[in-house]
Amino acid sequence: MTQSFADLRAELLRNPAVRAEYDARAGEFEIASELIAARLRAGLSQEQLARRMGISQSAVARIESGRHWPSRATLLGYAEATGARPVVRLVPLQAGVVPLRGSR
């Protein structure tokens, strides 16, 4: 039986340890998701974006992985290459939301 990604995600997040780690990385996932969405809206592959930015495709993959915070210069370059502009917002934490690591 083939399981959908949404079903697998829901199943994994029922595990409290997995859920805690997932919640701790929510900010990283949000940034990565927004970068990927901008690239897709621009109709670009990672390779095409890399050429526009003057970096390697593997560097784009690392930027989109959510494993580290991209620098301001990288975000500006990514935005320019996708025909977008970066916007920063600070929103209040909701009850039950775990703050990013290091900000507790």
Side-chain angles (χ1 to χ4, degrees):
M1 177 173 130
T2 302
Q3 188 174 33
S4 75
F5 176 76
D7 291 340
L8 176 61
R9 180 179 173 268
E11 180 182 329
L12 291 171
L13 291 178
R14 283 194 284 275
N15 178 321
V18 172
R19 182 59 184 223
E21 185 62 23
Y22 181 85
D23 288 345
R25 294 178 175 264
E28 297 166 33
F29 293 143
E30 287 176 23
I31 291 172
S33 293
E34 185 57 37
L35 292 173
I36 293 166
R39 177 174 55 77
L40 295 176
R41 280 191 305 270
L44 299 171
S45 67
Q46 286 185 343
E47 182 62 37
Q48 291 166 322
L49 179 67
R51 279 196 301 267
R52 286 187 181 191
M53 292 180 70
I55 61 177
S56 68
Q57 179 276 323
S58 62
V60 171
R62 283 191 301 277
I63 292 166
E64 293 182 353
S65 73
R67 289 182 296 219
H68 70 278
W69 291 90
S71 70
R72 179 180 173 274
T74 298
L75 287 174
L76 291 173
Y78 199 103
E80 182 179 335
T82 59
R85 68 181 177 86
V87 175
V88 176
R89 294 180 307 132
L90 300 177
V91 295
L93 289 176
Q94 299 172 0
V97 173
V98 179
L100 296 174
R101 283 191 306 250
S103 63
R104 294 181 181 155

